[in-house]
Amino acid sequence: MQLSFKLNGSATQWEDVYPGENLLEVLRRHDCWEVKGNNCTNGECGACTILLDGIPVPSCTVFAARVEGRNVDTIRLLGDPDHLHPLQQAFLRHGAVQCGYCIPGMLLSAHALLVRNPHPNRDEIQQSLSGHLCRCTGYLQQIEAIEEMARLPEGAE
Amino acid sequence: MQPNITDYLQPKSLPEAIALMATYSGRAALVGGGLDLSWRPRQEIQILIGLDRIPLSYIEWRPEGLVIGAGTTLRELADSNGGSYLNGLFGRILDRIATPLLRGMITVGGALARAYPWSDLLPIFLGCQAHITLFDGQDHTIPLESFYQGSFRQLLKRSIIRELCLPTHHQSIAAYQRFGRLQIDIPLLNQFSRLTLVEEQIEKASLWLGARPGFPVRLSEVEAVLLGKPLNQVTIGAAVSVLSPSLVGADFRLSKEYRHNLATVFLRRNLTEIWSQHATII
């Protein structure tokens, strides 16, 4: 079946989508390697998070056909290695990135939170990251990085 | 990838969706958020009927109460003014269900249709005497309790949940307790209590016990003890004492004795919280 949607703001049309495929499988088959591979496969780890119309969801549990006509954003929405987003830079400054597997998902959830609420408190930050499993850092560094962004005046990002 | 699925249809209206269900009877499944089918693929399902293009995602305050479209996700509900239902208790409960990522996928209609015994929502919906509206060519609104007392899974083979209405209960105070291994885990037991107090007497009581581990059950014997009495330590003690151990069972997570003990603690806590909130109000 054919799938037409916006991927990171660009109109995208893929012809070879199977009705029973999930979005994660389709994205990776089309070279979106930035979306981390099938990890828990049931939405519990948060590694494959994407934004669906601005809402973070685990792409392994979304039927690909559901995104027809909608907006899908991956970590490429924020930046690339040569042009890091301020949130990505904050993660680096705070040592929030070690193996990096969970980071794209965490960044997207953090970004969605900051868009909705530019000055979240620590509780809100922790709540937004629950559902993202990280086995390296212990979460503190990511929380501090997001807190740094939350302290910026609105629009400074 | 679920190779047994051969087509994904996207109707634009409920009549169109009902017609598709009839055409592909027995081998089609409705997809709201799709989480359940993604977790538990069913071999007999070949056709998916997506509900995304049908306007079922809405939250409205109407004279009869809070009306929630079946396609509304828990995240949308928590982020809306619907969270203020039950003096904000509803919003606080929604914030404790699963994770934010999964709350963006779980729809109210999906939670009602699957009716998992461990649901956080069912004891609250039942305890608030919710009404459900089903569409089978025309709308039928029935009390949620009656819906579940009948063969609701058969009913859902030929009808679609359109919306849920949570009635406004003036002078009503509610409390909720849950226990799970982790905050984001399914509850191993939950208890919802709602009392209406008029002139210091308990006029109405609606108490439900869920994840016991079976489908939520109404605590009718406890309600009978409470009705017409003033809410105080003596009444709470009498209510807790009639909570029957036969209402709970064992599974690999908790023993029957542990669950019953927990149920009495939850009931006592909820009634005490309502008592303390009532004391603050007056």
mmCIF file of all heavy atoms in Angstrom, chain B residues 83-92 169 172-174 277 281:
data_model
loop_
_atom_site.group_PDB
_atom_site.id
_atom_site.type_symbol
_atom_site.label_atom_id
_atom_site.label_comp_id
_atom_site.label_asym_id
_atom_site.label_seq_id
_atom_site.Cartn_x
_atom_site.Cartn_y
_atom_site.Cartn_z
ATOM 1 N N GLY B 83 -9.374 16.775 32.896
ATOM 2 C CA GLY B 83 -8.643 16.321 34.080
ATOM 3 C C GLY B 83 -9.193 16.915 35.374
ATOM 4 O O GLY B 83 -8.897 16.420 36.467
ATOM 5 N N SER B 84 -10.001 17.971 35.243
ATOM 6 C CA SER B 84 -10.540 18.615 36.450
ATOM 7 C C SER B 84 -11.758 17.864 37.004
ATOM 8 O O SER B 84 -12.279 18.236 38.060
ATOM 9 C CB SER B 84 -10.924 20.071 36.156
ATOM 10 O OG SER B 84 -11.990 20.097 35.225
ATOM 11 N N TYR B 85 -12.194 16.830 36.298
ATOM 12 C CA TYR B 85 -13.341 16.039 36.769
ATOM 13 C C TYR B 85 -13.017 15.445 38.147
ATOM 14 O O TYR B 85 -11.877 15.087 38.423
ATOM 15 C CB TYR B 85 -13.623 14.924 35.753
ATOM 16 C CG TYR B 85 -14.860 14.112 36.043
ATOM 17 C CD1 TYR B 85 -16.128 14.656 35.908
ATOM 18 C CD2 TYR B 85 -14.765 12.791 36.448
ATOM 19 C CE1 TYR B 85 -17.267 13.916 36.175
ATOM 20 C CE2 TYR B 85 -15.888 12.027 36.715
ATOM 21 C CZ TYR B 85 -17.141 12.604 36.577
ATOM 22 O OH TYR B 85 -18.263 11.870 36.847
ATOM 23 N N LEU B 86 -14.000 15.335 38.995
ATOM 24 C CA LEU B 86 -13.831 14.859 40.379
ATOM 25 C C LEU B 86 -12.838 15.745 41.136
ATOM 26 O O LEU B 86 -11.934 15.252 41.815
ATOM 27 C CB LEU B 86 -13.342 13.401 40.409
ATOM 28 C CG LEU B 86 -14.264 12.325 39.842
ATOM 29 C CD1 LEU B 86 -13.551 10.967 39.814
ATOM 30 C CD2 LEU B 86 -15.549 12.223 40.640
ATOM 31 N N ASN B 87 -12.977 17.035 40.961
ATOM 32 C CA ASN B 87 -12.111 18.013 41.636
ATOM 33 C C ASN B 87 -10.629 17.762 41.357
ATOM 34 O O ASN B 87 -9.782 17.935 42.237
ATOM 35 C CB ASN B 87 -12.346 17.994 43.156
ATOM 36 C CG ASN B 87 -13.748 18.447 43.499
ATOM 37 O OD1 ASN B 87 -14.249 19.394 42.898
ATOM 38 N ND2 ASN B 87 -14.399 17.745 44.416
ATOM 39 N N GLY B 88 -10.317 17.351 40.143
ATOM 40 C CA GLY B 88 -8.920 17.177 39.743
ATOM 41 C C GLY B 88 -8.380 15.772 39.997
ATOM 42 O O GLY B 88 -7.296 15.437 39.533
ATOM 43 N N LEU B 89 -9.149 14.949 40.721
ATOM 44 C CA LEU B 89 -8.683 13.584 41.001
ATOM 45 C C LEU B 89 -8.493 12.803 39.695
ATOM 46 O O LEU B 89 -7.518 12.051 39.537
ATOM 47 C CB LEU B 89 -9.692 12.857 41.906
ATOM 48 C CG LEU B 89 -9.405 11.372 42.170
ATOM 49 C CD1 LEU B 89 -8.132 11.209 42.980
ATOM 50 C CD2 LEU B 89 -10.571 10.703 42.897
ATOM 51 N N PHE B 90 -9.393 13.005 38.731
ATOM 52 C CA PHE B 90 -9.335 12.271 37.473
ATOM 53 C C PHE B 90 -8.008 12.555 36.750
ATOM 54 O O PHE B 90 -7.333 11.642 36.274
ATOM 55 C CB PHE B 90 -10.535 12.681 36.603
ATOM 56 C CG PHE B 90 -10.750 11.834 35.388
ATOM 57 C CD1 PHE B 90 -10.608 10.457 35.439
ATOM 58 C CD2 PHE B 90 -11.105 12.415 34.175
ATOM 59 C CE1 PHE B 90 -10.809 9.674 34.305
ATOM 60 C CE2 PHE B 90 -11.315 11.646 33.046
ATOM 61 C CZ PHE B 90 -11.159 10.273 33.114
ATOM 62 N N GLY B 91 -7.617 13.831 36.713
ATOM 63 C CA GLY B 91 -6.360 14.204 36.059
ATOM 64 C C GLY B 91 -5.160 13.573 36.750
ATOM 65 O O GLY B 91 -4.225 13.102 36.104
ATOM 66 N N ARG B 92 -5.197 13.537 38.095
ATOM 67 C CA ARG B 92 -4.071 12.957 38.849
ATOM 68 C C ARG B 92 -3.983 11.446 38.590
ATOM 69 O O ARG B 92 -2.896 10.891 38.510
ATOM 70 C CB ARG B 92 -4.229 13.242 40.348
ATOM 71 C CG ARG B 92 -4.077 14.726 40.705
ATOM 72 C CD ARG B 92 -3.872 14.933 42.198
ATOM 73 N NE ARG B 92 -5.025 14.554 42.987
ATOM 74 C CZ ARG B 92 -6.103 15.324 43.201
ATOM 75 N NH1 ARG B 92 -6.149 16.532 42.667
ATOM 76 N NH2 ARG B 92 -7.100 14.905 43.955
ATOM 77 N N HIS B 169 -21.404 14.962 39.471
ATOM 78 C CA HIS B 169 -22.006 14.591 40.759
ATOM 79 C C HIS B 169 -21.718 15.710 41.758
ATOM 80 O O HIS B 169 -20.614 15.804 42.281
ATOM 81 C CB HIS B 169 -21.415 13.278 41.280
ATOM 82 C CG HIS B 169 -21.682 12.115 40.393
ATOM 83 N ND1 HIS B 169 -22.914 11.508 40.287
ATOM 84 C CD2 HIS B 169 -20.873 11.433 39.541
ATOM 85 C CE1 HIS B 169 -22.851 10.505 39.432
ATOM 86 N NE2 HIS B 169 -21.623 10.442 38.959
ATOM 87 N N SER B 172 -20.334 15.463 45.726
ATOM 88 C CA SER B 172 -19.730 14.141 45.747
ATOM 89 C C SER B 172 -18.219 14.282 45.954
ATOM 90 O O SER B 172 -17.602 15.158 45.372
ATOM 91 C CB SER B 172 -20.028 13.499 44.394
ATOM 92 O OG SER B 172 -19.837 12.136 44.459
ATOM 93 N N ILE B 173 -17.660 13.426 46.774
ATOM 94 C CA ILE B 173 -16.206 13.442 46.992
ATOM 95 C C ILE B 173 -15.688 12.039 46.695
ATOM 96 O O ILE B 173 -16.299 11.036 47.097
ATOM 97 C CB ILE B 173 -15.841 13.835 48.437
ATOM 98 C CG1 ILE B 173 -16.499 15.163 48.812
ATOM 99 C CG2 ILE B 173 -14.327 13.958 48.599
ATOM 100 C CD1 ILE B 173 -16.303 15.545 50.270
ATOM 101 N N ALA B 174 -14.566 11.971 45.977
ATOM 102 C CA ALA B 174 -14.050 10.670 45.567
ATOM 103 C C ALA B 174 -12.591 10.513 45.962
ATOM 104 O O ALA B 174 -11.881 11.502 46.191
ATOM 105 C CB ALA B 174 -14.202 10.509 44.062
ATOM 106 N N GLN B 277 -11.511 15.371 53.432
ATOM 107 C CA GLN B 277 -11.861 16.392 52.425
ATOM 108 C C GLN B 277 -13.194 17.034 52.771
ATOM 109 O O GLN B 277 -13.367 18.242 52.622
ATOM 110 C CB GLN B 277 -11.954 15.748 51.047
ATOM 111 C CG GLN B 277 -10.609 15.559 50.373
ATOM 112 C CD GLN B 277 -10.786 15.165 48.916
ATOM 113 O OE1 GLN B 277 -11.613 15.726 48.204
ATOM 114 N NE2 GLN B 277 -10.031 14.178 48.478
ATOM 115 N N ILE B 281 -14.190 20.988 53.447
ATOM 116 C CA ILE B 281 -15.217 21.724 52.687
ATOM 117 C C ILE B 281 -16.190 22.422 53.628
ATOM 118 O O ILE B 281 -16.509 23.593 53.461
ATOM 119 C CB ILE B 281 -15.964 20.766 51.723
ATOM 120 C CG1 ILE B 281 -15.003 20.307 50.622
ATOM 121 C CG2 ILE B 281 -17.171 21.436 51.099
ATOM 122 C CD1 ILE B 281 -15.508 19.139 49.818
#
